[in-house]
Amino acid sequence: MKITGVTTYVLEELLKDKAFGWSQWVTDRRQTALCVISTDEGIEGVGEAFYIGGPAKIAAGMISDAYAPLIIGKDPFDNAVIWDFLYNRTRDQGRKGLPISALSAIDIALWDIKGKAKGLPIYKLLGGAYREKAHVYATGLYEPQHVPSVKDALVEEALGYKKDGFSAMKLKIGYGIETDMEYLKAVREAIGDDMVLMVDANHAYNAAEAIRLARKMEKYDVYWFEEPVPPEDIDGYIEVKQKSNILITGGECEFTRYGFRELITRRAVDILQPDLCGTGGFTEIMKIVAMASAWNVPVIPHVWGTNVGLAASLQLFAVLPHFPERRFPAKPFFEYDRSPHPFRNKVTHEKFIMKDGYLDIPDRPGLGITLDMDFVSKRTII
Ligand code: CA
């Protein structure tokens, strides 16, 4: 089989009155870059590039201008060879960020093609599923922009997740210790002690601040404290981890096996959170997972974006091993982004619906999804 074409789609929609704040800025739009790879056998694969701040059209440009010309004529089953080849071509000015997100979209599309060619879900090609469904936690509880009281709005949102059947949710923090504690107290008291509650600072603090906050948060039974310090500050992570009784997590801003090497080998986090659509796709993330398993550091992937990234992440979630294997292994949580996204669930014909706190992991070939091309074409801005 040979690759015959690569097409990118950049989608964007403004959030208007649903714009949401977090510790770094106010997100006023949702964007994504999708990539469709076609082959001479008529099989197509789709991938998505993770982005937070960089415009999605830059990731799409990397795909179409930097990578696509290099993979025409290659066999999608040579995905690992293709990965190293493409990585090396952007290594001098790449290595992290959007070049790797773009490479992730290509790799995911290649795995989609491989699965469809073999009539198997990707998890089968990766060695088989440890689980058939994903126990989800709600990512939400951002800072709404047009409400009389942020605290009241957070309480209402949190109670909504509880009513919907979630057993876990994640609160955004990083607005300053005092404000963080006010929001945390309000949410914990509203949802009760039985719900699992995580917090995420999106690297808003230095180590000293994060330690102070972690100690204050202990009494509210916080399950994990995500991205307390900037991703470059590995020593800060280690310091916070050593002085906090709350689990410390991070990794969504890290890329490739080279980037994760330090986080893993220096035991900088309690739980590693690579993003499949950002860190290099299936080919690369399985190398990160293998390295993490050797150091016995649990992996719970970061998940963001549309149904394409969600479907891909569910395939990955199926194959995550136990950390460690045992008679009654831990059941990892799957990140289920519930923050405003006008087209998350519209880009594919298949819909993902939570039942009793779980999402089913599709057992259809490849990613198990088909793009709704009518919708995608309409929303494409370039
Ligand atoms: Ca996060």
Side-chain angles (χ1 to χ4, degrees):
M1 194 185 337
K2 283 188 168 50
I3 295 167
T4 52
V6 181
T7 313
T8 57
Y9 301 91
V10 175
L11 282 70
E12 179 180 276
E13 203 164 320
L14 295 175
L15 291 168
K16 298 178 186 152
D17 62 345
K18 292 204 165 53
F20 54 88
W22 42 298
S23 69
Q24 301 299 338
W25 60 81
V26 176
T27 293
D28 70 345
R29 68 196 61 202
R30 285 292 201 150
Q31 283 192 337
T32 201
L34 302 177
C35 138
V36 174
I37 297 180
S38 46
T39 63
D40 60 353
E41 293 186 15
I43 299 173
E44 289 188 339
V46 60
E48 178 168 7
F50 168 53
Y51 100 105
I52 282 283
K57 65 181 181 185
I58 305 295
M62 285 295 304
I63 295 170
S64 55
D65 295 349
Y67 297 136
L70 301 171
I71 63 171
I72 303 295
K74 292 194 183 293
D75 183 345
F77 280 86
D78 292 338
N79 56 284
V81 180
I82 291 171
W83 199 99
D84 279 339
F85 175 67
L86 295 182
Y87 178 81
N88 193 54
R89 291 297 287 259
T90 55
R91 181 174 238 152
D92 292 16
Q93 284 84 33
R95 297 203 295 276
K96 289 181 193 277
L98 284 170
I100 307 302
S101 295
L103 180 47
S104 307
I106 288 176
D107 184 79
I108 291 166
L110 295 181
W111 279 90
D112 191 23
I113 291 168
K114 292 195 333 167
K116 286 175 178 167
K118 292 290 176 194
L120 292 170
I122 291 168
Y123 67 71
K124 279 285 183 194
L125 303 183
L126 290 172
Y130 286 79
R131 50 195 72 83
E132 277 113 39
K133 50 188 186 171
H135 189 202
V136 299
Y137 73 85
T139 282
L141 303 172
Y142 285 76
E143 177 201 56
Q145 296 303 293
H146 304 285
V147 292
S149 159
V150 171
K151 190 171 76 174
D152 291 350
L154 290 174
V155 165
E156 193 187 332
E157 186 183 340
L159 290 173
Y161 294 136
K162 187 175 178 178
K163 190 161 161 274
D164 289 346
F166 283 96
S167 61
M169 64 187 81
K170 193 165 75 189
L171 169 71
K172 289 288 167 176
I173 58 167
Y175 310 108
I177 290 176
E178 206 174 306
T179 306
D180 290 351
M181 291 305 297
E182 188 191 333
Y183 293 170
L184 174 61
K185 178 176 188 288
V187 168
R188 173 52 90 196
E189 285 176 356
I191 60 176
D193 294 339
D194 293 341
M195 300 287 287
V196 175
L197 182 60
M198 302 87 153
V199 299
D200 183 359
N202 291 100
H203 51 78
Y205 293 117
N206 60 45
E209 292 168 328
I211 291 162
R212 192 161 155 251
L213 176 57
R215 288 180 174 164
K216 282 176 179 283
M217 291 193 298
E218 273 175 32
K219 66 177 170 188
Y220 294 114
D221 191 20
V222 170
Y223 182 55
W224 79 49
F225 183 1
E226 182 169 324
E227 286 203 295
V229 296
E232 303 90 340
D233 187 8
I234 304 280
D235 290 300
Y237 262 105
I238 293 167
E239 203 179 325
V240 177
K241 183 172 162 256
Q242 284 170 346
K243 293 179 179 171
S244 160
N245 285 327
I246 300 172
L247 299 179
I248 300 301
T249 71
E252 71 183 74
C253 299
E254 199 46 84
F255 301 85
T256 78
R257 80 198 90 142
Y258 309 110
F260 275 92
R261 177 174 50 197
E262 258 204 292
L263 274 177
I264 295 169
T265 60
R266 296 189 64 198
R267 308 189 66 77
V269 294
D270 292 301
I271 296 170
L272 209 60
Q273 297 171 303
D275 188 300
L276 175 66
C277 302
T279 200
F282 288 105
T283 304
E284 190 66 3
I285 208 166
M286 292 311 288
K287 292 173 180 172
I288 295 166
V289 170
M291 189 158 48
S293 76
W295 268 262
N296 204 18
V297 180
V299 176
I300 295 187
H302 175 263
V303 184
W304 186 259
T306 72
N307 275 1
V308 175
L310 179 68
S313 299
L314 283 169
Q315 293 294 312
L316 167 69
F317 194 75
V319 303
L320 290 174
H322 303 135
F323 297 91
E325 187 62 64
R326 58 185 186 239
R327 186 176 166 208
F328 303 111
K331 292 196 174 101
F333 281 109
F334 183 83
E335 179 164 20
Y336 191 28
D337 174 25
R338 300 286 77 203
S339 59
H341 195 318
F343 57 87
R344 176 195 294 119
N345 204 28
K346 293 182 184 166
V347 298
T348 58
H349 290 293
E350 299 76 11
K351 309 300 173 197
F352 292 93
I353 296 159
M354 185 187 78
K355 274 180 264 149
D356 303 324
Y358 286 84
L359 282 175
D360 285 333
I361 298 172
D363 58 2
R364 298 179 291 272
L367 295 172
I369 50 168
T370 44
L371 281 186
D372 181 341
M373 286 313 301
D374 282 347
F375 181 83
V376 168
S377 312
K378 259 185 253 161
R379 276 297 182 286
T380 297
I381 55 167
I382 58 164

